[in-house]
Amino acid sequence: ENERAHLLTFLELKQPGIAFRAMVLLAQGVFFNAYFLAYLVSPSTCHRFVQYLEEEAVKTYTKAVQQVDDPEGGLDKWRQMPASPLSRKYWQLPDDAMFRDV
């Protein structure tokens, strides 16, 4: 659920076209089915895979926050951008929350 909220937040941010959205849906469908089959074969491998994904997510978000905070980081736009209504609702952020708070 949390990953889906992140995906929807960034889709709101980028506002991609219909082709990109279709590819995201296709990728989700393929991944879900492949993961389901892999889980039937080896649940422990799937749990390790999710652990790896979560570790990479922590690294990615940590780097993004550092770049937002650093004036030379290249993410100045994110520093000044308010959090989207979807983000504020999902993460129960105040009305004046900024994108960095997400």
Side-chain angles (χ1 to χ4, degrees), residues 5-102:
H6 279 96
L7 174 64
L8 292 173
T9 296
F10 282 96
L11 284 176
E12 262 187 353
L13 174 69
K14 193 65 176 165
Q15 305 245 332
I18 191 75
F20 186 86
R21 288 176 182 262
M23 292 302 290
V24 167
L25 288 174
L26 178 66
Q28 284 180 329
V30 168
F31 178 81
F32 176 83
N33 288 303
Y35 188 82
F36 174 75
L37 294 174
Y39 198 87
L40 292 175
V41 174
S42 179
S44 62
T45 300
C46 290
H47 286 282
R48 277 192 299 255
F49 177 69
V50 169
Q51 178 185 2
Y52 171 76
L53 288 179
E54 293 299 329
E55 287 175 10
E56 288 302 310
V58 168
K59 291 177 192 175
T60 300
Y61 291 130
T62 300
K63 185 176 180 180
V65 168
Q66 288 171 344
Q67 288 178 330
V68 167
D69 290 343
D70 181 5
E72 309 269 327
L75 295 177
D76 296 331
K77 183 179 177 182
W78 287 13
R79 187 177 314 116
Q80 301 165 359
M81 183 183 305
S84 70
L86 176 110
S87 300
R88 289 194 314 265
K89 181 179 178 186
Y90 181 80
W91 284 288
Q92 300 172 356
L93 298 171
D95 289 340
D96 62 344
M98 301 303 284
F99 189 74
R100 184 199 184 281
D101 300 325
V102 172

